[in-house]
Amino acid sequence: MSEEPTFERFLAAVRGTNPFRSHRITDVGGGEATVESIHKSAFTKLVRVVQDAAKEPISIGALLIGAPGVGKSHLLARLFQWAGEDRATVVYLHNILASPERMLRYVLNATVSDLAGHRGSDYTQSRLYTVLNRAVIRTGALKGRRMMTGPKEIEARKEALARLGAKIDPQNAVIPVLNAFLTGTSHASLGDAGAEKRAQAAVLWLSGETLGPDEARLLDQAAGEDGLALADDAAVERVLHVLAHLCALAELPLVLCLDQIDNLDAEAVRALMSYAHALLDRAKHLVVIVSGVKQSMLSLRTGEVIPAAAWDRIAERILELHMVSPEEARAILEGRLDAALSGFEEKEIEELNAARKRDRLFPLGSGWLERRLDGVQELRPRDAILWARDRWEAQQDRLAAVGGKRWLKEWPGPEVGTKEPDGRLEDAIDAEVKKKLVEGTTRRRLQQASLPPDEDNLASLTHHLLARCAGKGASTLLSVEHATAKRRGKAAPAHHLVAKEKRADGVIVTTGVTFLCAPSGHGARLPLQRMVEDTKHTDKRILVTDEERRPLRLGGAGKAAYDALCKLGRQRFLHLHLDFAGHAELDSLVGLLGAARSHDLEIEHPRGQYRKVTEAEVMASFERQSLLLAHPLLRELLTEEIVKGGGDSTPPPAWDPQQTREHIMAELSWRLGLMAKELAQIFASRKKLHERRFPEVWSHIKKTAQALHDEGHVHATATDDDLFVQLRGKK
């Protein structure tokens, strides 16, 4: 049951939750409190760019730059929130990593995954379904028919979309597949399981995947020997062009946000920016926003990693964010406090309302902020939030020491000195690295559509990490190559990666690694046959599959090839079943290195002073904490050992999962939100569980909150190694 807010409940919230713990955006759709006056001019220009592309048959590139911590991702989050009010279709793409020749295909995969979502049974809730229906309505192509889901209405929408396609897709290559998605989703909502499969096949084709004969027939097409897929980059571009045009007709213009592209290595940046340039030159009604740290972006330009022509097109509109004034910093803190305390103020808690009336910055204090800002002309929003985090913690300590009544009576209380740092610099780096890795993995878990199953992405992430270890430290890895079919018509390589390792006995072992995320048995056949036939170049072969989202599917020929590989024995063939967490961990490891490369990873050491962490320091931390060796695939290629991978072997908790769900929903019903750790503390206290079980309780609470997030009951945001959980709809 929901409990009404009281003064004691308010004190409990102050003790357990710090609204300033998060100082960077990890989820642009998270609904975090923002202040409209901050960077208002840049936001207005950004909105105008989107509106211009909606009105005119043009595409516009916008470059968003600034120092780390000035609010670039916050500005994109505001754009996402603005777009969500029936104004635009914003796709947020972060850590886009693929081999250069497949970069555009991966951008398409991530874009369609974002628009369609990762749950095939619920496409009616997807943005792609909304765009298609709105396009046929707003253009009048539906010819007055009401928006209903009967067979006649579904057929009318199909015909209306086909009429639109005659203008925007003259080759009639993309619209028939979009129509298969539209009608398949509509019929699936009426209980037609076959129609749902048709919609899923359409999403796969639009994403650039290869379909087998069965899936192709669902789209009324035939699959050749190699299956049915987008033939080349021109076909990939065509899909993006049609999607952008349909979004414009729906009055929801398409915006691709490529955030923190300076986190990528030079080769990836060059490929991504070249493709972005081509899209902008040939598409209509498309906006591409490229965001990065100013210093890093300018270095990429002067070093000609981004060619001059591409820069001019991408940076057609430049928006540079600067530091904020002391007045703006105060507004940021007030905004977060208003959001955090609104639930208590609405319930007329006398003590809180009286304190807030005296000082709008309670419980931080206006006097405290004035002292912090003394002599400061400008600062980063991140700095103001970090100051507030420390001040809130000091108030928590004071509250714990003297109790609620005395704390409020004597507030703001005596000044508390800055806490001394604990441990060495390396310890501080290790703690931050570990937290950020958990945060990155959790963020992808909460937004699975942002990291679609993709063989080349998995190969690129793995290569990126292994290449840094070759020939160094205690690793047995000597070298690793990323093999791709770079020229059209060239035979596909037998493996994505080829690694050479030196065993303790001096023997050189060559290992081929193949990643397989095929949606059908047909798609698995050829890669498996190539692995079987590769008898001269490798001593050992590893097959990596996405066991959670794309488990290995085998037809007759594929099964024969797989059986032949299994007969080689475990020393010569290993099938590594990777779950989603395994994919997300690779992404998070690479993302953290990229953040350090672009000077956007900081630690506090000593307390109150911030320094940037370098790539070399991150790699050293990985080694100290054995973080690469903890991943089953990386360990296999760094130690010349065979390990079992995938899956969570932790036994289920002894308590009722439904009871946990009810606990979370009840605690969230009367306040803005809670950290999962606090929810776990309350849960453990009520259950009178021993403190040694707390890690188990915390993990259980986080998993349950993630499930509630997936079901749409709560919104969870990754924050360091924890989750901030809110009821849906609360701001």
Side-chain angles (χ1 to χ4, degrees):
M1 290 181 60
S2 172
E3 299 185 50
E4 286 295 310
T6 63
F7 179 59
E8 288 303 319
R9 283 277 183 174
F10 162 69
L11 294 177
V14 173
R15 290 188 188 99
T17 302
N18 189 334
F20 301 99
R21 187 172 298 174
S22 174
H23 58 82
R24 63 176 69 228
I25 288 289
T26 60
D27 174 10
V28 293
E32 186 172 306
T34 58
V35 180
E36 292 185 4
S37 60
I38 307 301
H39 301 314
K40 184 176 181 179
S41 176
F43 181 70
T44 301
K45 290 179 181 177
L46 203 53
V47 168
R48 191 175 299 125
V49 167
V50 177
Q51 292 171 335
D52 288 348
K55 296 173 184 176
E56 302 294 333
I58 57 173
S59 290
I60 305 173
L63 179 64
L64 178 61
I65 55 174
V70 297
K72 297 182 296 297
S73 294
H74 278 79
L75 193 71
L76 293 179
R78 284 178 63 190
L79 181 70
F80 191 93
Q81 293 164 16
W82 170 85
E85 298 174 5
D86 213 25
R87 289 166 170 153
T89 305
V90 177
V91 176
Y92 180 78
L93 303 176
H94 176 257
N95 204 28
I96 296 293
L97 188 61
S99 56
E101 58 275 5
R102 291 188 64 85
M103 185 68 76
L104 182 61
R105 196 170 289 260
Y106 185 65
V107 168
L108 175 67
N109 191 357
T111 299
V112 173
S113 178
D114 185 278
L115 293 176
H118 70 283
R119 298 184 191 87
S121 61
D122 199 21
Y123 285 140
T124 56
Q125 303 301 311
S126 70
R127 292 194 286 169
L128 181 58
Y129 188 67
T130 297
V131 164
L132 296 179
N133 282 306
R134 279 187 51 144
V136 299
I137 292 171
R138 294 295 173 95
T139 59
L142 200 54
K143 295 186 177 179
R145 280 188 176 269
R146 293 166 57 190
M147 195 63 192
M148 299 177 68
T149 56
K152 290 184 179 179
E153 287 76 19
I154 294 173
E155 186 63 25
R157 277 185 282 163
K158 177 182 179 181
E159 294 172 358
L161 184 56
R163 285 193 292 272
L164 288 181
K167 298 178 182 178
I168 65 176
D169 183 25
Q171 293 178 316
N172 201 33
V174 181
I175 288 294
V177 181
L178 286 169
N179 242 328
F181 171 81
L182 178 64
T183 58
T185 300
S186 299
H187 283 295
S189 68
L190 302 177
D192 184 343
E196 183 179 309
K197 291 181 180 179
R198 186 164 68 252
Q200 290 173 342
V203 170
L204 290 171
W205 186 90
L206 291 165
S207 302
E209 300 277 13
T210 300
L211 305 186
D214 292 342
E215 292 84 2
R217 278 193 291 272
L218 291 172
L219 303 180
D220 297 322
Q221 298 193 47
E225 176 67 18
D226 294 334
L228 176 68
L230 298 171
D232 49 28
D233 285 346
V236 172
E237 277 193 33
R238 191 178 303 118
V239 175
L240 287 167
H241 294 172
V242 171
L243 289 174
H245 209 135
L246 284 168
C247 285
L249 293 175
E251 299 177 9
L252 294 168
L254 181 60
V255 183
L256 299 183
C257 291
L258 308 178
D259 193 17
Q260 300 176 359
I261 67 125
D262 46 335
N263 285 9
L264 305 176
D265 59 31
E267 191 177 20
V269 171
R270 184 179 292 108
L272 184 57
M273 293 300 94
S274 296
Y275 282 126
H277 180 195
L279 278 175
L280 287 168
D281 273 354
R282 293 192 278 266
K284 297 178 181 178
H285 303 292
L286 174 68
V287 176
V288 176
I289 301 172
V290 174
S291 173
V293 174
K294 179 180 179 181
Q295 177 185 349
S296 303
M297 294 300 297
L298 293 179
S299 295
L300 292 170
R301 170 65 192 95
T302 55
E304 297 186 348
V305 173
I306 303 178
W311 178 274
D312 291 343
R313 194 65 176 91
I314 293 159
E316 184 178 348
R317 312 276 179 93
I318 298 179
L319 300 93
E320 181 175 355
L321 301 190
H322 301 281
M323 292 192 283
V324 299
S325 68
E327 293 76 18
E328 290 173 317
R330 180 187 177 100
I332 291 171
L333 302 188
E334 284 185 358
R336 287 219 183 181
L337 285 172
D338 288 345
L341 302 178
S342 60
F344 296 100
E345 291 182 307
E346 290 169 2
K347 294 300 181 179
E348 299 294 333
I349 296 176
E350 182 179 349
E351 298 91 339
L352 172 61
N353 288 347
R356 291 272 283 167
K357 189 174 182 180
R358 291 196 310 271
D359 189 335
R360 201 64 191 163
L361 279 180
F362 173 83
L364 302 177
S366 296
W368 158 80
L369 184 60
E370 288 171 5
R371 290 188 292 275
R372 288 304 312 248
L373 291 172
D374 185 32
V376 175
Q377 300 298 316
E378 58 182 12
L379 68 159
R380 303 181 306 170
R382 182 182 295 176
D383 293 330
I385 294 170
L386 289 169
W387 293 348
R389 179 205 62 188
D390 294 346
R391 175 64 173 176
W392 189 282
E393 289 179 359
Q395 291 299 321
Q396 287 175 323
D397 293 342
R398 175 71 178 165
L399 176 59
V402 303
K405 292 184 178 179
R406 182 178 169 187
W407 170 71
L408 185 61
K409 181 179 179 181
E410 297 178 354
W411 183 86
E415 284 295 317
V416 180
T418 303
K419 297 177 182 178
E420 292 298 321
D422 296 324
R424 305 169 301 151
L425 172 63
E426 289 80 4
D427 296 331
I429 292 174
D430 288 351
E432 185 69 11
V433 163
K434 192 66 178 288
K435 285 192 300 184
K436 291 305 177 188
L437 286 177
V438 173
E439 179 184 282
T441 302
T442 304
R443 180 177 67 246
R444 291 297 199 185
R445 166 67 183 81
L446 295 170
Q447 307 159 34
Q448 284 198 34
S450 69
L451 189 66
D454 188 276
E455 296 158 5
D456 191 67
N457 175 250
L458 277 167
S460 297
L461 291 169
T462 305
H463 178 260
H464 191 92
L465 294 165
L466 291 176
R468 295 167 177 273
C469 303
K472 298 177 182 177
S475 166
T476 61
L477 183 67
L478 297 176
S479 66
V480 59
E481 295 181 4
H482 188 179
T484 56
K486 296 185 178 181
R487 295 189 303 274
R488 187 176 181 181
K490 182 180 177 181
H495 307 284
H496 290 98
L497 303 179
V498 177
K500 290 187 181 297
E501 297 175 80
K502 186 175 182 179
R503 291 194 324 216
D505 59 5
V507 174
I508 305 298
V509 177
T510 302
T511 302
V513 186
T514 297
F515 297 86
L516 193 51
C517 298
S520 68
H522 182 88
R525 176 177 59 86
L526 289 177
L528 291 172
Q529 287 178 344
R530 285 193 290 267
M531 289 185 73
V532 171
E533 293 165 1
D534 183 40
T535 58
K536 297 180 180 180
H537 305 100
T538 57
D539 304 298
K540 183 167 62 176
R541 282 155 271 191
I542 299 176
L543 173 66
V544 183
T545 57
D546 185 328
E547 192 66 15
E548 186 172 331
R549 297 178 293 174
R550 293 275 180 85
L552 183 63
R553 295 175 59 184
L554 298 172
K559 186 176 186 307
Y562 183 76
D563 289 344
L565 289 168
C566 291
K567 289 178 181 178
L568 296 174
R570 285 184 57 81
Q571 295 302 318
R572 297 177 62 197
F573 172 69
L574 173 65
H575 181 183
L576 192 60
H577 303 272
L578 204 64
D579 57 12
F580 178 78
H583 189 171
E585 285 164 15
L586 293 172
D587 177 82
S588 187
L589 287 162
V590 172
L592 193 55
L593 287 167
R597 182 186 306 116
S598 61
H599 313 291
D600 200 21
L601 180 65
E602 298 176 335
I603 60 166
E604 189 177 10
H605 193 278
R607 187 80 171 184
Q609 297 180 26
Y610 300 94
R611 70 179 294 275
K612 301 184 187 308
V613 182
T614 66
E615 272 189 278
E617 288 174 326
V618 171
M619 280 300 299
S621 179
F622 287 174
E623 184 174 352
R624 283 193 298 271
Q625 301 186 78
S626 298
L627 294 174
L628 299 184
L629 293 178
H631 192 282
L633 173 59
L634 299 179
R635 180 177 178 82
E636 172 61 30
L637 293 165
L638 292 172
T639 61
E640 183 47 24
E641 294 179 8
I642 293 180
V643 295
K644 296 181 180 179
D648 183 358
S649 59
T650 304
W655 45 83
D656 180 8
Q658 182 60 30
Q659 196 176 66
T660 311
R661 295 165 70 92
E662 292 172 357
H663 161 72
I664 293 173
M665 297 302 289
E667 289 299 317
L668 294 177
S669 66
W670 56 274
R671 47 182 163 179
L672 175 80
L674 285 167
M675 302 301 295
K677 193 169 190 176
E678 185 188 3
L679 284 164
Q681 289 166 342
I682 298 169
F683 186 86
S685 175
R686 288 177 179 167
K687 292 288 185 182
K688 295 182 172 55
L689 298 173
H690 194 280
E691 63 181 16
R692 68 171 176 268
R693 294 198 67 189
F694 183 75
E696 178 188 352
V697 177
W698 188 18
S699 175
H700 176 61
I701 289 289
K702 286 194 284 188
K703 287 182 179 178
T704 306
Q706 289 172 355
L708 289 169
H709 171 95
D710 290 343
E711 295 164 16
H713 299 303
V714 305
H715 188 94
T717 304
T719 303
D720 290 338
D721 56 352
D722 207 354
L723 293 175
F724 182 65
V725 191
Q726 302 167 282
L727 283 181
R728 285 283 183 183
K730 299 193 85 173
K731 298 292 183 182

